[in-house]
Amino acid sequence: MGACLHPLNLPLEMMNVLTKLRLPAWICLLLAASAGAAPQAPAQSVLQFASNEWPPFVSSTLPSNGMAGSLLASVYERMGMTARIEFFPWKRTMELGLHDPRYAGFLAVWRTPEREKICHFSHSIGSTTTVLAYLKESPVQPATLAELQGVRIGTVAGYANGEQFDAMAAAGVLQTEEATSDELNLRKLLIKRFPAMVIEKRVLRHLLGSERLTREERERIGFAEGLFPERSIHICFKRTAQGLAQQRAFNDVVRDIDLVKIERDYWRRIGVELARAQGRVLQQP
């Protein structure tokens, strides 16, 4: 992409400096989007994002708003800015992140072909593993998704569960029952509303390690792995010129960050690496 060639609503003196520096055009676009009228400049040092409570990845109850929140804050700190996260139910999160001018976007989100049309996705801000949770007294351990035909499966409304699973559910091959959160699904599983549910593995571990479940309830839960591919999570920036500039600025910084180390250090920091007792609860029966 070429250097800055047009004013882009920036003061003439600033534009002259940028032209001499021959900065990439997208940087100029980001500066222009942030500048606007001079009195508004200080407010633009803070970018707001929408999210839902999805611990341990994003949560107002955890240090630095969760692992993804910690990475987000680190990136914008390097940019001399502050990232602020506000929390809502998932569908409201998507609506605000995509359409409300107060928010630059939303997180944490899996990429799908449909979402590619409405988002400028950041580089990965974490990796996830989806599993099938069940009750140990009535285990559901299929070798493939096709073996789940005839099994009612709990899902969260608005969540993407992988292209194969979502396509099979949309075609009616798989029977699903939606809830508004993973915790609600887990409680429905415990009272046998359905025999299995889809959930991210670390989210399940976090729920099982919380005080919201009794020891007896935790010990009843097992899970099957290998049915879903590992997937990365991202920030969805608005699919606008400003959103594209914000995405590129974010990606330029996150490229130089050791994501694996940040993830590992954060899990260790909040104790998500399970203690021996919790590990026994989560062992496969």
Side-chain angles (χ1 to χ4, degrees):
M1 187 174 290
C4 299
L5 297 177
H6 302 289
L8 292 171
N9 297 323
L10 292 171
L12 180 60
E13 297 83 358
M14 184 183 295
M15 204 60 222
N16 288 337
V17 172
L18 295 176
T19 301
K20 291 178 182 178
L21 290 174
R22 299 191 63 77
L23 293 174
W26 69 265
I27 292 182
C28 303
L29 181 59
L30 179 59
L31 291 171
S34 301
Q40 297 179 352
Q44 294 299 323
S45 64
V46 177
L47 272 187
Q48 291 197 138
F49 295 87
S51 184
N52 69 318
E53 289 284 348
W54 196 47
F57 292 96
V58 198
S59 176
S60 60
T61 66
L62 293 176
S64 303
N65 288 322
M67 193 285 296
S70 176
L71 175 63
L72 183 76
S74 176
V75 169
Y76 280 102
E77 183 178 353
R78 294 188 183 203
M79 296 168 65
M81 302 175 69
T82 300
R84 181 178 298 153
I85 301 175
E86 295 186 356
F87 292 87
F88 308 92
W90 178 241
K91 287 191 174 181
R92 181 69 172 156
T93 291
M94 294 181 67
E95 178 184 340
L96 292 172
L98 289 171
H99 304 298
D100 193 307
R102 293 173 298 172
Y103 301 96
F106 65 98
L107 71 154
V109 60
W110 288 300
R111 298 181 76 149
T112 68
E114 293 76 17
R115 291 172 180 171
E116 295 285 355
K117 302 172 185 176
I118 57 176
C119 297
H120 286 305
F121 281 112
S122 72
H123 284 313
S124 170
I125 57 170
S127 59
T128 66
T129 302
T130 301
V131 297
L132 189 75
Y134 55 79
L135 296 177
K136 290 179 180 178
E137 66 252 34
S138 304
V140 179
Q141 298 174 309
T144 66
L145 291 178
E147 293 179 19
L148 286 172
Q149 293 184 55
V151 177
R152 193 157 189 83
I153 306 163
T155 62
V156 177
Y159 280 19
N161 295 305
E163 291 187 33
Q164 183 184 7
F165 183 95
D166 290 345
M168 293 173 73
V173 176
L174 298 180
Q175 301 175 24
T176 61
E177 179 177 325
E178 291 188 340
T180 55
S181 71
D182 288 304
E183 183 175 353
L184 181 55
N185 267 340
L186 196 58
R187 296 196 177 281
K188 290 167 75 174
L189 177 66
L190 286 165
I191 62 172
K192 301 186 177 182
R193 280 282 297 273
F194 39 67
M197 61 174 281
V198 176
I199 187 170
E200 202 285 327
K201 185 177 179 179
R202 285 193 184 274
V203 174
L204 176 61
R205 284 179 165 174
H206 186 83
L207 284 170
L208 294 180
S210 74
E211 296 180 353
R212 294 190 294 276
L213 297 176
T214 66
R215 179 179 179 180
E216 291 73 19
E217 288 173 329
R218 290 195 294 267
E219 290 178 345
R220 293 178 64 199
I221 304 296
F223 64 89
E225 298 186 80
L227 295 170
F228 302 86
E230 183 174 296
R231 293 181 291 163
S232 57
I233 50 175
H234 305 262
I235 300 168
C236 168
F237 291 95
K238 290 184 176 72
R239 200 164 183 83
T240 62
Q242 183 180 28
L244 178 61
Q246 291 168 337
Q247 176 235 38
R248 287 175 170 174
F250 180 90
N251 284 350
D252 269 1
V253 176
V254 82
R255 255 189 222 105
D256 298 325
I257 292 178
D258 187 342
L259 177 61
V260 173
K261 183 178 185 301
I262 285 183
E263 282 194 89
R264 184 176 61 246
D265 290 349
Y266 190 84
W267 301 140
R268 185 180 297 118
R269 175 185 175 190
I270 67 170
V272 175
E273 292 301 334
L274 302 175
R276 291 179 181 176
Q278 187 178 349
R280 285 196 296 271
V281 171
L282 287 172
Q283 286 176 354
Q284 304 302 305

